[in-house]
mmCIF file of all heavy atoms in Angstrom:
data_model
loop_
_atom_site.group_PDB
_atom_site.id
_atom_site.type_symbol
_atom_site.label_atom_id
_atom_site.label_comp_id
_atom_site.label_asym_id
_atom_site.label_seq_id
_atom_site.Cartn_x
_atom_site.Cartn_y
_atom_site.Cartn_z
ATOM 1 N N CYS A 127 15.586 -12.814 17.930
ATOM 2 C CA CYS A 127 15.424 -11.414 18.332
ATOM 3 C C CYS A 127 14.391 -10.654 17.511
ATOM 4 O O CYS A 127 13.960 -9.576 17.915
ATOM 5 C CB CYS A 127 16.768 -10.692 18.256
ATOM 6 S SG CYS A 127 17.500 -10.677 16.601
ATOM 7 N N GLY A 128 13.995 -11.180 16.357
ATOM 8 C CA GLY A 128 13.058 -10.465 15.509
ATOM 9 C C GLY A 128 13.709 -9.297 14.799
ATOM 10 O O GLY A 128 14.932 -9.135 14.798
ATOM 11 N N GLU A 129 12.881 -8.460 14.180
ATOM 12 C CA GLU A 129 13.356 -7.261 13.491
ATOM 13 C C GLU A 129 12.300 -6.175 13.617
ATOM 14 O O GLU A 129 11.109 -6.428 13.419
ATOM 15 C CB GLU A 129 13.641 -7.562 12.030
ATOM 16 C CG GLU A 129 14.253 -6.398 11.279
ATOM 17 C CD GLU A 129 14.778 -6.783 9.910
ATOM 18 O OE1 GLU A 129 15.067 -7.981 9.706
ATOM 19 O OE2 GLU A 129 14.901 -5.896 9.060
ATOM 20 N N TYR A 130 12.720 -4.962 13.947
ATOM 21 C CA TYR A 130 11.773 -3.884 14.223
ATOM 22 C C TYR A 130 11.060 -3.438 12.954
ATOM 23 O O TYR A 130 11.683 -3.263 11.895
ATOM 24 C CB TYR A 130 12.491 -2.691 14.855
ATOM 25 C CG TYR A 130 11.544 -1.586 15.255
ATOM 26 C CD1 TYR A 130 10.720 -1.737 16.382
ATOM 27 C CD2 TYR A 130 11.454 -0.409 14.520
ATOM 28 C CE1 TYR A 130 9.843 -0.728 16.761
ATOM 29 C CE2 TYR A 130 10.578 0.600 14.887
ATOM 30 C CZ TYR A 130 9.770 0.432 16.007
ATOM 31 O OH TYR A 130 8.906 1.437 16.374
ATOM 32 N N SER A 131 9.755 -3.256 13.067
ATOM 33 C CA SER A 131 8.938 -2.757 11.971
ATOM 34 C C SER A 131 8.415 -1.370 12.331
ATOM 35 O O SER A 131 7.641 -1.231 13.287
ATOM 36 C CB SER A 131 7.757 -3.691 11.700
ATOM 37 O OG SER A 131 6.818 -3.058 10.851
ATOM 38 N N PRO A 132 8.822 -0.325 11.602
ATOM 39 C CA PRO A 132 8.330 1.014 11.910
ATOM 40 C C PRO A 132 6.934 1.293 11.352
ATOM 41 O O PRO A 132 6.338 2.320 11.677
ATOM 42 C CB PRO A 132 9.369 1.921 11.237
ATOM 43 C CG PRO A 132 9.863 1.125 10.082
ATOM 44 C CD PRO A 132 9.836 -0.312 10.524
ATOM 45 N N SER A 133 6.422 0.408 10.507
ATOM 46 C CA SER A 133 5.082 0.585 9.951
ATOM 47 C C SER A 133 4.669 -0.677 9.206
ATOM 48 O O SER A 133 5.516 -1.497 8.817
ATOM 49 C CB SER A 133 5.043 1.779 8.975
ATOM 50 O OG SER A 133 5.813 1.501 7.820
ATOM 51 N N TYR A 134 3.370 -0.811 8.977
ATOM 52 C CA TYR A 134 2.875 -1.906 8.146
ATOM 53 C C TYR A 134 3.413 -1.760 6.718
ATOM 54 O O TYR A 134 3.737 -2.746 6.064
ATOM 55 C CB TYR A 134 1.345 -1.904 8.122
ATOM 56 C CG TYR A 134 0.698 -2.537 9.328
ATOM 57 C CD1 TYR A 134 0.532 -1.826 10.518
ATOM 58 C CD2 TYR A 134 0.239 -3.843 9.295
ATOM 59 C CE1 TYR A 134 -0.067 -2.399 11.619
ATOM 60 C CE2 TYR A 134 -0.373 -4.431 10.387
ATOM 61 C CZ TYR A 134 -0.518 -3.694 11.559
ATOM 62 O OH TYR A 134 -1.108 -4.285 12.650
ATOM 63 N N GLN A 135 3.517 -0.512 6.248
ATOM 64 C CA GLN A 135 3.996 -0.288 4.887
ATOM 65 C C GLN A 135 5.429 -0.796 4.719
ATOM 66 O O GLN A 135 5.758 -1.428 3.707
ATOM 67 C CB GLN A 135 3.933 1.205 4.554
ATOM 68 C CG GLN A 135 2.516 1.752 4.393
ATOM 69 C CD GLN A 135 1.904 2.226 5.701
ATOM 70 O OE1 GLN A 135 2.310 1.795 6.785
ATOM 71 N NE2 GLN A 135 0.921 3.104 5.605
ATOM 72 N N LYS A 136 6.282 -0.514 5.697
ATOM 73 C CA LYS A 136 7.668 -0.960 5.619
ATOM 74 C C LYS A 136 7.756 -2.474 5.640
ATOM 75 O O LYS A 136 8.571 -3.084 4.930
ATOM 76 C CB LYS A 136 8.472 -0.362 6.778
ATOM 77 C CG LYS A 136 9.942 -0.787 6.821
ATOM 78 C CD LYS A 136 10.692 -0.390 5.565
ATOM 79 C CE LYS A 136 12.166 -0.742 5.684
ATOM 80 N NZ LYS A 136 12.906 -0.484 4.428
ATOM 81 N N THR A 137 6.907 -3.120 6.435
ATOM 82 C CA THR A 137 6.883 -4.580 6.487
ATOM 83 C C THR A 137 6.493 -5.162 5.133
ATOM 84 O O THR A 137 7.086 -6.135 4.656
ATOM 85 C CB THR A 137 5.916 -5.063 7.578
ATOM 86 O OG1 THR A 137 6.417 -4.652 8.855
ATOM 87 C CG2 THR A 137 5.782 -6.577 7.567
ATOM 88 N N VAL A 138 5.482 -4.566 4.483
ATOM 89 C CA VAL A 138 5.068 -5.029 3.154
ATOM 90 C C VAL A 138 6.234 -4.916 2.174
ATOM 91 O O VAL A 138 6.520 -5.844 1.396
ATOM 92 C CB VAL A 138 3.851 -4.216 2.655
ATOM 93 C CG1 VAL A 138 3.644 -4.406 1.156
ATOM 94 C CG2 VAL A 138 2.593 -4.635 3.412
ATOM 95 N N ASN A 139 6.946 -3.783 2.205
ATOM 96 C CA ASN A 139 8.068 -3.595 1.290
ATOM 97 C C ASN A 139 9.198 -4.577 1.581
ATOM 98 O O ASN A 139 9.818 -5.100 0.651
ATOM 99 C CB ASN A 139 8.586 -2.163 1.381
ATOM 100 C CG ASN A 139 9.728 -1.901 0.420
ATOM 101 O OD1 ASN A 139 10.882 -1.799 0.821
ATOM 102 N ND2 ASN A 139 9.417 -1.807 -0.863
ATOM 103 N N CYS A 140 9.459 -4.853 2.855
ATOM 104 C CA CYS A 140 10.507 -5.824 3.203
ATOM 105 C C CYS A 140 10.177 -7.208 2.668
ATOM 106 O O CYS A 140 11.056 -7.934 2.190
ATOM 107 C CB CYS A 140 10.689 -5.872 4.721
ATOM 108 S SG CYS A 140 11.518 -4.432 5.415
ATOM 109 N N ILE A 141 8.900 -7.593 2.737
ATOM 110 C CA ILE A 141 8.467 -8.887 2.205
ATOM 111 C C ILE A 141 8.732 -8.943 0.705
ATOM 112 O O ILE A 141 9.292 -9.918 0.180
ATOM 113 C CB ILE A 141 6.976 -9.126 2.518
ATOM 114 C CG1 ILE A 141 6.779 -9.387 4.019
ATOM 115 C CG2 ILE A 141 6.423 -10.283 1.694
ATOM 116 C CD1 ILE A 141 5.330 -9.413 4.454
ATOM 117 N N GLN A 142 8.353 -7.890 -0.005
ATOM 118 C CA GLN A 142 8.523 -7.879 -1.455
ATOM 119 C C GLN A 142 9.997 -7.887 -1.847
ATOM 120 O O GLN A 142 10.403 -8.598 -2.766
ATOM 121 C CB GLN A 142 7.814 -6.661 -2.035
ATOM 122 C CG GLN A 142 6.299 -6.713 -1.870
ATOM 123 C CD GLN A 142 5.638 -5.431 -2.319
ATOM 124 O OE1 GLN A 142 6.120 -4.340 -2.045
ATOM 125 N NE2 GLN A 142 4.523 -5.558 -3.024
ATOM 126 N N MET A 143 10.813 -7.094 -1.155
ATOM 127 C CA MET A 143 12.238 -7.034 -1.481
ATOM 128 C C MET A 143 12.922 -8.373 -1.209
ATOM 129 O O MET A 143 13.809 -8.788 -1.955
ATOM 130 C CB MET A 143 12.905 -5.920 -0.667
ATOM 131 C CG MET A 143 12.504 -4.519 -1.105
ATOM 132 S SD MET A 143 12.996 -4.135 -2.799
ATOM 133 C CE MET A 143 14.784 -4.099 -2.619
ATOM 134 N N CYS A 144 12.516 -9.044 -0.143
ATOM 135 C CA CYS A 144 13.085 -10.347 0.179
ATOM 136 C C CYS A 144 12.774 -11.348 -0.927
ATOM 137 O O CYS A 144 13.654 -12.105 -1.374
ATOM 138 C CB CYS A 144 12.558 -10.835 1.524
ATOM 139 S SG CYS A 144 13.246 -12.411 2.072
ATOM 140 N N ILE A 145 11.536 -11.342 -1.404
ATOM 141 C CA ILE A 145 11.139 -12.280 -2.462
ATOM 142 C C ILE A 145 11.898 -11.978 -3.755
ATOM 143 O O ILE A 145 12.450 -12.871 -4.398
ATOM 144 C CB ILE A 145 9.620 -12.216 -2.689
ATOM 145 C CG1 ILE A 145 8.874 -12.760 -1.455
ATOM 146 C CG2 ILE A 145 9.218 -12.999 -3.947
ATOM 147 C CD1 ILE A 145 7.386 -12.506 -1.486
ATOM 148 N N LEU A 146 11.941 -10.717 -4.157
ATOM 149 C CA LEU A 146 12.600 -10.360 -5.409
ATOM 150 C C LEU A 146 14.100 -10.644 -5.368
ATOM 151 O O LEU A 146 14.704 -10.953 -6.396
ATOM 152 C CB LEU A 146 12.349 -8.891 -5.735
ATOM 153 C CG LEU A 146 10.909 -8.538 -6.148
ATOM 154 C CD1 LEU A 146 10.748 -7.028 -6.275
ATOM 155 C CD2 LEU A 146 10.538 -9.212 -7.469
ATOM 156 N N SER A 147 14.703 -10.533 -4.174
ATOM 157 C CA SER A 147 16.143 -10.765 -4.070
ATOM 158 C C SER A 147 16.495 -12.252 -4.066
ATOM 159 O O SER A 147 17.594 -12.630 -4.466
ATOM 160 C CB SER A 147 16.689 -10.098 -2.805
ATOM 161 O OG SER A 147 16.172 -10.725 -1.636
ATOM 162 N N LYS A 148 15.569 -13.106 -3.625
ATOM 163 C CA LYS A 148 15.875 -14.524 -3.472
ATOM 164 C C LYS A 148 15.215 -15.431 -4.502
ATOM 165 O O LYS A 148 15.593 -16.599 -4.619
ATOM 166 C CB LYS A 148 15.486 -14.990 -2.061
ATOM 167 C CG LYS A 148 16.319 -14.339 -0.961
ATOM 168 C CD LYS A 148 16.018 -14.948 0.395
ATOM 169 C CE LYS A 148 16.912 -14.347 1.483
ATOM 170 N NZ LYS A 148 16.688 -14.982 2.791
ATOM 171 N N VAL A 149 14.225 -14.917 -5.215
ATOM 172 C CA VAL A 149 13.497 -15.751 -6.183
ATOM 173 C C VAL A 149 13.525 -15.060 -7.543
ATOM 174 O O VAL A 149 12.665 -14.225 -7.846
ATOM 175 C CB VAL A 149 12.044 -16.002 -5.732
ATOM 176 C CG1 VAL A 149 11.371 -17.041 -6.633
ATOM 177 C CG2 VAL A 149 11.987 -16.457 -4.280
ATOM 178 N N PRO A 150 14.501 -15.369 -8.383
ATOM 179 C CA PRO A 150 14.648 -14.655 -9.650
ATOM 180 C C PRO A 150 13.500 -14.889 -10.631
ATOM 181 O O PRO A 150 13.322 -14.101 -11.559
ATOM 182 C CB PRO A 150 15.965 -15.205 -10.210
ATOM 183 C CG PRO A 150 16.165 -16.525 -9.522
ATOM 184 C CD PRO A 150 15.577 -16.358 -8.160
ATOM 185 N N GLN A 151 12.724 -15.954 -10.446
ATOM 186 C CA GLN A 151 11.611 -16.224 -11.367
ATOM 187 C C GLN A 151 10.480 -15.202 -11.228
ATOM 188 O O GLN A 151 9.653 -15.046 -12.125
ATOM 189 C CB GLN A 151 11.043 -17.627 -11.123
ATOM 190 C CG GLN A 151 12.025 -18.763 -11.391
ATOM 191 C CD GLN A 151 12.787 -19.159 -10.135
ATOM 192 O OE1 GLN A 151 12.930 -18.370 -9.210
ATOM 193 N NE2 GLN A 151 13.282 -20.393 -10.109
ATOM 194 N N VAL A 152 10.399 -14.521 -10.075
ATOM 195 C CA VAL A 152 9.317 -13.561 -9.823
ATOM 196 C C VAL A 152 9.652 -12.229 -10.488
ATOM 197 O O VAL A 152 10.736 -11.683 -10.293
ATOM 198 C CB VAL A 152 9.093 -13.370 -8.312
ATOM 199 C CG1 VAL A 152 8.102 -12.238 -8.060
ATOM 200 C CG2 VAL A 152 8.581 -14.661 -7.690
ATOM 201 N N GLN A 153 8.694 -11.695 -11.262
ATOM 202 C CA GLN A 153 8.889 -10.422 -11.957
ATOM 203 C C GLN A 153 8.191 -9.258 -11.263
ATOM 204 O O GLN A 153 8.758 -8.183 -11.113
ATOM 205 C CB GLN A 153 8.375 -10.545 -13.394
ATOM 206 C CG GLN A 153 9.113 -11.595 -14.206
ATOM 207 C CD GLN A 153 10.602 -11.327 -14.286
ATOM 208 O OE1 GLN A 153 11.028 -10.243 -14.665
ATOM 209 N NE2 GLN A 153 11.412 -12.310 -13.909
ATOM 210 N N ILE A 154 6.954 -9.452 -10.880
ATOM 211 C CA ILE A 154 6.155 -8.416 -10.217
ATOM 212 C C ILE A 154 5.413 -9.065 -9.065
ATOM 213 O O ILE A 154 4.925 -10.196 -9.179
ATOM 214 C CB ILE A 154 5.135 -7.778 -11.184
ATOM 215 C CG1 ILE A 154 5.838 -7.128 -12.386
ATOM 216 C CG2 ILE A 154 4.281 -6.725 -10.475
ATOM 217 C CD1 ILE A 154 4.892 -6.616 -13.460
ATOM 218 N N ILE A 155 5.331 -8.356 -7.935
ATOM 219 C CA ILE A 155 4.603 -8.903 -6.787
ATOM 220 C C ILE A 155 3.682 -7.841 -6.198
ATOM 221 O O ILE A 155 4.091 -6.707 -5.955
ATOM 222 C CB ILE A 155 5.569 -9.464 -5.718
ATOM 223 C CG1 ILE A 155 4.781 -10.025 -4.530
ATOM 224 C CG2 ILE A 155 6.590 -8.418 -5.272
ATOM 225 C CD1 ILE A 155 5.608 -10.881 -3.610
ATOM 226 N N GLU A 156 2.434 -8.219 -6.033
ATOM 227 C CA GLU A 156 1.412 -7.364 -5.410
ATOM 228 C C GLU A 156 1.153 -7.888 -3.994
ATOM 229 O O GLU A 156 0.940 -9.085 -3.811
ATOM 230 C CB GLU A 156 0.114 -7.405 -6.230
ATOM 231 C CG GLU A 156 -1.055 -6.692 -5.590
ATOM 232 C CD GLU A 156 -2.380 -7.002 -6.261
ATOM 233 O OE1 GLU A 156 -2.379 -7.724 -7.273
ATOM 234 O OE2 GLU A 156 -3.422 -6.537 -5.752
ATOM 235 N N THR A 157 1.170 -6.997 -3.015
ATOM 236 C CA THR A 157 0.974 -7.407 -1.627
ATOM 237 C C THR A 157 -0.038 -6.492 -0.958
ATOM 238 O O THR A 157 0.044 -5.269 -1.084
ATOM 239 C CB THR A 157 2.302 -7.361 -0.843
ATOM 240 O OG1 THR A 157 3.277 -8.151 -1.524
ATOM 241 C CG2 THR A 157 2.123 -7.906 0.561
ATOM 242 N N VAL A 158 -0.982 -7.093 -0.251
ATOM 243 C CA VAL A 158 -1.971 -6.355 0.535
ATOM 244 C C VAL A 158 -1.949 -6.910 1.947
ATOM 245 O O VAL A 158 -1.994 -8.132 2.143
ATOM 246 C CB VAL A 158 -3.396 -6.495 -0.054
ATOM 247 C CG1 VAL A 158 -4.393 -5.711 0.788
ATOM 248 C CG2 VAL A 158 -3.428 -6.034 -1.502
ATOM 249 N N LEU A 159 -1.854 -6.017 2.927
ATOM 250 C CA LEU A 159 -1.880 -6.426 4.333
ATOM 251 C C LEU A 159 -3.046 -5.728 5.010
ATOM 252 O O LEU A 159 -3.035 -4.502 5.196
ATOM 253 C CB LEU A 159 -0.560 -6.066 5.023
ATOM 254 C CG LEU A 159 -0.412 -6.491 6.486
ATOM 255 C CD1 LEU A 159 -0.572 -8.005 6.632
ATOM 256 C CD2 LEU A 159 0.937 -6.045 7.046
ATOM 257 N N ASN A 160 -4.074 -6.500 5.340
ATOM 258 C CA ASN A 160 -5.220 -5.989 6.097
ATOM 259 C C ASN A 160 -4.902 -6.109 7.580
ATOM 260 O O ASN A 160 -4.674 -7.204 8.084
ATOM 261 C CB ASN A 160 -6.489 -6.771 5.744
ATOM 262 C CG ASN A 160 -6.921 -6.529 4.311
ATOM 263 O OD1 ASN A 160 -6.861 -5.422 3.807
ATOM 264 N ND2 ASN A 160 -7.343 -7.584 3.629
ATOM 265 N N ASN A 161 -4.910 -4.975 8.270
ATOM 266 C CA ASN A 161 -4.386 -4.922 9.623
ATOM 267 C C ASN A 161 -5.453 -5.222 10.669
ATOM 268 O O ASN A 161 -6.617 -4.839 10.519
ATOM 269 C CB ASN A 161 -3.807 -3.536 9.926
ATOM 270 C CG ASN A 161 -2.985 -2.993 8.769
ATOM 271 O OD1 ASN A 161 -2.456 -3.765 7.969
ATOM 272 N ND2 ASN A 161 -2.883 -1.683 8.672
ATOM 273 N N THR A 162 -5.043 -5.884 11.713
ATOM 274 C CA THR A 162 -5.877 -6.086 12.895
ATOM 275 C C THR A 162 -5.208 -5.379 14.067
ATOM 276 O O THR A 162 -4.048 -5.647 14.373
ATOM 277 C CB THR A 162 -6.039 -7.577 13.233
ATOM 278 O OG1 THR A 162 -6.640 -8.246 12.114
ATOM 279 C CG2 THR A 162 -6.922 -7.768 14.458
ATOM 280 N N PHE A 163 -5.943 -4.461 14.709
ATOM 281 C CA PHE A 163 -5.402 -3.721 15.838
ATOM 282 C C PHE A 163 -5.959 -4.289 17.138
ATOM 283 O O PHE A 163 -7.091 -4.778 17.207
ATOM 284 C CB PHE A 163 -5.756 -2.236 15.726
ATOM 285 C CG PHE A 163 -5.195 -1.586 14.488
ATOM 286 C CD1 PHE A 163 -6.031 -1.199 13.460
ATOM 287 C CD2 PHE A 163 -3.838 -1.370 14.355
ATOM 288 C CE1 PHE A 163 -5.529 -0.599 12.315
ATOM 289 C CE2 PHE A 163 -3.316 -0.770 13.216
ATOM 290 C CZ PHE A 163 -4.170 -0.385 12.203
ATOM 291 N N TYR A 164 -5.144 -4.199 18.188
ATOM 292 C CA TYR A 164 -5.546 -4.678 19.509
ATOM 293 C C TYR A 164 -5.430 -3.538 20.513
ATOM 294 O O TYR A 164 -4.435 -2.806 20.521
ATOM 295 C CB TYR A 164 -4.650 -5.840 19.964
ATOM 296 C CG TYR A 164 -4.914 -7.136 19.233
ATOM 297 C CD1 TYR A 164 -4.315 -7.385 17.997
ATOM 298 C CD2 TYR A 164 -5.763 -8.104 19.762
ATOM 299 C CE1 TYR A 164 -4.552 -8.567 17.313
ATOM 300 C CE2 TYR A 164 -6.008 -9.290 19.084
ATOM 301 C CZ TYR A 164 -5.393 -9.513 17.861
ATOM 302 O OH TYR A 164 -5.639 -10.687 17.180
ATOM 303 N N ASN A 165 -6.451 -3.396 21.352
ATOM 304 C CA ASN A 165 -6.432 -2.400 22.417
ATOM 305 C C ASN A 165 -6.249 -3.088 23.770
ATOM 306 O O ASN A 165 -6.837 -4.151 24.026
ATOM 307 C CB ASN A 165 -7.742 -1.599 22.437
ATOM 308 C CG ASN A 165 -7.843 -0.632 21.263
ATOM 309 O OD1 ASN A 165 -6.828 -0.190 20.726
ATOM 310 N ND2 ASN A 165 -9.062 -0.316 20.853
ATOM 311 N N VAL A 166 -5.439 -2.468 24.614
ATOM 312 C CA VAL A 166 -5.219 -2.997 25.961
ATOM 313 C C VAL A 166 -6.460 -2.738 26.808
ATOM 314 O O VAL A 166 -7.009 -1.632 26.819
ATOM 315 C CB VAL A 166 -3.982 -2.341 26.603
ATOM 316 C CG1 VAL A 166 -3.775 -2.869 28.021
ATOM 317 C CG2 VAL A 166 -2.739 -2.601 25.756
ATOM 318 N N VAL A 167 -6.925 -3.766 27.508
ATOM 319 C CA VAL A 167 -8.109 -3.633 28.368
ATOM 320 C C VAL A 167 -7.746 -2.864 29.630
ATOM 321 O O VAL A 167 -6.762 -3.178 30.310
ATOM 322 C CB VAL A 167 -8.662 -5.024 28.728
ATOM 323 C CG1 VAL A 167 -9.861 -4.892 29.673
ATOM 324 C CG2 VAL A 167 -9.054 -5.793 27.481
ATOM 325 N N ASP A 168 -8.523 -1.815 29.940
ATOM 326 C CA ASP A 168 -8.324 -1.039 31.165
ATOM 327 C C ASP A 168 -8.913 -1.805 32.341
ATOM 328 O O ASP A 168 -10.120 -2.036 32.415
ATOM 329 C CB ASP A 168 -9.005 0.316 31.016
ATOM 330 C CG ASP A 168 -8.745 1.216 32.217
ATOM 331 O OD1 ASP A 168 -8.065 0.769 33.178
ATOM 332 O OD2 ASP A 168 -9.211 2.367 32.207
ATOM 333 N N MET A 169 -8.050 -2.252 33.259
ATOM 334 C CA MET A 169 -8.484 -3.049 34.401
ATOM 335 C C MET A 169 -8.324 -2.308 35.736
ATOM 336 O O MET A 169 -8.334 -2.941 36.787
ATOM 337 C CB MET A 169 -7.706 -4.366 34.444
ATOM 338 C CG MET A 169 -8.026 -5.314 33.312
ATOM 339 S SD MET A 169 -7.213 -6.921 33.489
ATOM 340 C CE MET A 169 -8.057 -7.878 32.247
#
């Protein structure tokens, strides 16, 4: 079913929180998401 993302920022934070909660060896995590947007073609 997936999971709803209200923003790219929220998705980045979810990734970081998942890693920190499951991998205790990680202390600090830096994440950058360069976005690609798609436009619907008017036909």
Side-chain angles (χ1 to χ4, degrees):
C127 60
E129 185 169 337
Y130 184 74
S131 167
S133 67
Y134 279 82
Q135 290 88 337
K136 179 60 176 175
T137 295
V138 165
N139 182 254
C140 287
I141 289 171
Q142 294 174 318
M143 290 297 292
C144 183
I145 293 170
L146 290 173
S147 66
K148 295 187 177 183
V149 189
Q151 297 92 336
V152 172
Q153 298 302 307
I154 300 173
I155 180 166
E156 173 193 356
T157 305
V158 180
L159 183 58
N160 293 320
N161 317 335
T162 301
F163 299 110
Y164 287 84
N165 288 334
V166 179
V167 177
D168 184 358
M169 292 186 168

